[in-house]
Amino acid sequence: MSPRAPIAVVHGTTKVFVNDLEAFPLVMQELEKLSIAQVPSHLAHLATASDSIMNAVAMASSKPIKSLRDTFPFFRCRASAADFRKLRALNDAYAFLRHTSVAE
């Protein structure tokens, strides 16, 4: 029986065994590059849009915003019905893709 690797790393759908502890930082850097390359562009665009909205609302309301859904009360009175529907659609799309995409 062969000796076991000291470290096993699971990152998304990739599993890596690291035998040399000195190479561990390099392995982690390469896995990060791999995960960035795997993120679908539509998911990255939705994440950027969501983050921008959440940051703007957090600054304007002085309240902690953890998700796009937390912005709903802020926009309910301030946005038109059509814009509020778009915000909800953005939230639904981003939540769906976050939970169904391979790269996480």
Side-chain angles (χ1 to χ4, degrees):
M1 189 165 149
S2 63
R4 297 183 67 171
I7 299 175
V9 179
V10 178
H11 189 72
T13 59
T14 305
K15 187 170 189 176
V16 178
F17 298 97
V18 182
N19 291 313
D20 183 5
L21 294 178
E22 292 177 5
F24 185 70
L26 179 62
V27 170
M28 293 306 292
Q29 288 174 354
E30 293 301 317
L31 283 174
E32 187 62 31
K33 289 178 190 175
L34 178 65
S35 69
I36 290 171
Q38 289 179 348
V39 173
S41 62
H42 51 277
L43 182 58
H45 291 297
L46 289 175
T48 301
S50 296
D51 287 344
S52 298
I53 293 168
M54 291 185 321
N55 289 336
V57 171
M59 289 177 63
S61 67
S62 301
K63 293 182 180 178
I65 303 295
K66 297 178 184 175
S67 69
L68 195 56
R69 190 180 225 358
D70 292 343
T71 66
F72 289 179
F74 180 84
F75 284 112
R76 198 167 309 250
C77 305
R78 293 173 175 87
S80 67
D83 288 341
F84 190 73
R85 278 193 302 272
K86 289 177 188 176
L87 179 66
R88 289 183 67 131
L90 174 64
N91 179 60
D92 293 345
Y94 184 43
F96 177 77
L97 287 175
R98 249 190 0 245
H99 291 96
T100 58
S101 294
V102 172
E104 295 177 330

